[in-house]
Amino acid sequence: MALEEVRVEEIRRGGGVAAPRLSASWRRSESYGVPLDAVNPAFTGAVDDQSLFSECGNEVLHGLRDTLAGEPVSLMLTDADGLVLSRMCDEKALVDALDRTYLAPGFAFSEREAGTNGLGLALADRAPSLVRGDEHYCTGLWGYTCAAVPVMDPVFGRLVGSVNLTTWSDKSDGLLLALAQMAAGHTSALMLARGRGAEPRPTPRGEVFRVYSAHRGAEAPPELGRAWRAALDEVVAALRAGQVVAVVGETGAGKTALLGTALRTVHRDHRILNARPPNPRDAEAWLALWTPELAKETTSVIAGGVDALPQWAATELAGIVAAAPRASLAVTASEAAAIPAPLARLVDVVVEVPPLRRRPDDVLPLAEHLGARARGREVRFTPAAVKAMRTFSWPGNVEQLRRVVREAVTRSDVVDARHLAPEVLCGSSRTLTRIETLERDEIARCLAEPGVTVTRAAEMLGMSRATVYRKIAQYGIRTSD
């Protein structure tokens, strides 16, 4: 009987049922070569306790610690790799036991290091996880019950770490996971507040939509610059050679657009599906919804943001592709190293899409293309608007340009600098408070009006000219020459 079957039978005899996630985690643990009878995680000797996540997480856990005073519960914070950043516990016996199993700051407890455990499973599947007693892969952890919840950056959506609550395995775990979820939610909310008013990133929904081939009415993309064309040529060559392609780059840089253009060039008769990453809790339904399309010879699939997939879903998707020799699959991710291992093994070629700030020649043709789509007719941009857009850093890449252009063309068919969002007219790199943002926007709007000098802006704003000059420097507002 295989190891996994033995462990499942053990759990069932104990009155529990091994869930598919737990079973998949055991298989991964075995493939990593984690020993069954010893906990031997890697030790780094140093942790990053200065990050925003660490600061906010520890503040939340300190408050929860006061609530749980007298309870045998250890509260921990880990980074995205499972490295324990901090640990709080008032029961000496539990602290001593945790020390003996190295569940302490400076030690890494990912699945690769320690096998199936609460925090490792939460990080691997990006979903709340509760691992009790002998559900742990390593017998050295059977004395504990661990509840862990991943924490995502509320603005950028990337995994930053986890909150982990650990108690004795013979204690009640009824509220443990709920408390961990509450702490993770409060940590994310506090990070957003400390981020000084940034907008939270929407939760992935796992939508599937179709991009039709060129002869069925797909819109022709604009002519872009050398960097884009080089990336496009590389993807087209790989697709023609029958290779699996991964396109990587920053959020909003145009990874899916690049793949869609390349697929329409190579497979003109194909229907193209783009499967966005799901909420981890919806991964099973997400897979069931669109993966049958992989078996169809005239369908190409773009699996977007695979670095956000739970490990078990990535493994399942890799198995589906391997079992369908004619499957046409391409993937996108933030970087090559972030592609889950089961899918990374299938990838033949990795192509990077440079961010928009490294492609200034693409800004105007993209803006004209996006403006025409939003307005329904041709739009133009004045030299002042073009200069402002070309010199802006576009941290949100093409998605940010799309938003700025869509807003601007509602005001005019000829877009001037004064029609652009104030953020484009400023060069401040720090995040502003809500009041600072309002002040910056109002100054930028005044200065963007035709013929308005600093002196005139000061009069309009009710400020002294010296104050306006100081604010221009403070916010990095670019004035016309």
Side-chain angles (χ1 to χ4, degrees):
M1 186 179 290
L3 170 64
E4 178 203 344
E5 294 172 326
V6 172
R7 297 298 302 279
V8 170
E9 188 60 31
E10 288 175 354
I11 296 297
R12 285 177 176 163
R13 282 202 302 267
V17 177
R21 286 180 58 208
L22 194 61
S23 178
S25 178
W26 290 339
R27 289 196 299 270
R28 291 195 299 269
S29 301
E30 184 179 20
S31 71
Y32 296 146
V34 177
L36 280 166
D37 56 355
V39 183
N40 191 26
F43 177 65
T44 66
V47 298
D48 178 12
D49 57 2
Q50 301 299 314
S51 68
L52 179 62
F53 164 63
S54 182
E55 173 191 326
C56 295
N58 281 317
E59 185 170 329
V60 169
L61 292 188
H62 273 293
L64 184 57
R65 180 183 190 176
D66 294 339
T67 302
L68 295 174
E71 295 293 327
V73 179
S74 172
L75 296 80
M76 284 173 259
L77 210 61
T78 81
D79 69 9
D81 296 319
L83 180 69
V84 180
L85 302 176
S86 64
R87 185 185 72 188
M88 305 173 196
C89 183
D90 295 323
E91 183 174 296
K92 186 176 185 307
L94 182 55
V95 170
D96 291 342
L98 292 173
D99 284 344
R100 287 193 294 272
T101 53
Y102 308 107
L103 193 46
F107 287 91
F109 260 76
S110 67
E111 284 185 339
R112 189 177 295 274
E113 299 287 347
T116 303
N117 67 88
L119 70 89
L121 184 57
L123 293 171
D125 283 354
R126 302 185 179 217
S129 302
L130 180 68
V131 178
R132 307 175 181 88
D134 57 1
E135 292 175 346
H136 288 88
Y137 182 83
C138 181
T139 59
L141 298 175
W142 282 11
Y144 309 108
T145 289
C146 302
V149 179
V151 178
M152 314 301 289
D153 186 298
V155 175
F156 299 105
R158 60 177 178 265
L159 179 68
V160 291
S162 74
V163 170
N164 177 43
L165 272 58
T166 297
T167 188
W168 301 114
S169 59
D170 59 353
K171 298 294 182 181
S172 172
D173 57 26
L175 292 177
L176 207 63
L177 188 57
L179 289 172
Q181 289 178 294
M182 179 191 70
H186 287 178
T187 298
S188 184
L190 189 56
M191 288 176 66
L192 185 63
R194 296 278 168 84
R196 312 184 82 173
E199 291 295 325
R201 182 184 179 89
T203 302
R205 292 181 294 171
E207 299 157 297
V208 176
F209 62 92
R210 296 174 180 176
V211 183
Y212 292 102
S213 55
H215 75 279
R216 294 173 68 180
E219 190 174 11
E223 287 293 326
L224 300 182
R226 183 182 304 173
W228 177 270
R229 291 197 305 271
L232 179 61
D233 290 345
E234 191 175 354
V235 173
V236 167
L239 291 175
R240 283 179 172 154
Q243 296 175 311
V244 177
V245 180
V247 176
V248 300
E250 294 180 5
T251 299
K255 301 184 290 293
T256 299
L258 181 76
L259 273 173
T261 302
L263 284 166
R264 287 194 296 272
T265 300
V266 176
H267 302 299
R268 294 187 61 83
D269 61 336
H270 276 209
R271 191 175 50 144
I272 301 170
L273 297 181
N274 175 19
R276 297 181 180 182
N279 184 305
R281 297 176 183 176
D282 300 329
E284 186 173 358
W286 178 80
L287 283 169
L289 179 64
W290 64 267
T291 50
E293 297 290 335
L294 284 167
K296 299 179 180 179
E297 293 186 30
T298 58
T299 298
S300 294
V301 173
I302 301 171
V306 294
D307 46 334
L309 288 180
Q311 279 288 343
W312 75 265
T315 302
E316 184 74 13
L317 177 57
I320 293 169
V321 174
R326 295 179 179 174
S328 176
L329 177 74
V331 303
T332 72
S334 58
E335 58 181 349
I339 300 173
L343 290 171
R345 287 191 284 270
L346 300 177
V347 172
D348 300 302
V349 176
V350 176
V351 178
E352 181 182 5
V353 178
L356 191 56
R357 63 180 173 276
R358 286 165 42 194
R359 296 153 41 203
D361 291 342
D362 289 352
V363 172
L364 180 57
L366 279 171
E368 291 174 338
H369 175 71
L370 296 169
R373 287 178 58 184
R375 188 72 168 171
R377 55 181 179 265
E378 184 181 354
V379 297
R380 294 191 298 109
F381 294 82
T382 67
V386 172
K387 179 182 178 182
M389 292 191 300
R390 283 176 57 90
T391 56
F392 185 58
S393 62
W394 298 109
N397 289 295
V398 180
E399 286 304 312
Q400 184 180 15
L401 176 64
R402 187 194 314 277
R403 174 176 57 78
V404 168
V405 168
R406 185 171 59 239
E407 181 182 340
V409 298
T410 61
R411 302 187 178 116
S412 175
D413 286 345
V414 181
V415 176
D416 192 21
R418 69 180 185 276
H419 300 129
L420 299 174
E423 66 201 70
V424 180
L425 307 176
C426 304
S428 177
S429 59
R430 71 180 180 89
T431 305
L432 305 179
T433 65
R434 194 174 300 276
I435 291 178
E436 287 175 328
T437 300
L438 292 171
E439 183 178 60
R440 178 205 66 183
D441 291 359
E442 193 60 29
I443 294 172
R445 285 195 184 97
C446 284
L447 291 171
E449 291 293 329
V452 173
T453 63
V454 173
T455 300
R456 175 59 182 146
E459 293 173 358
M460 294 166 64
L461 295 165
M463 297 179 178
S464 70
R465 189 171 63 171
T467 298
V468 173
Y469 273 118
R470 179 168 56 82
K471 296 293 184 180
I472 288 172
Q474 175 184 342
Y475 296 134
I477 299 172
R478 291 187 285 271
T479 57
S480 58
D481 296 332

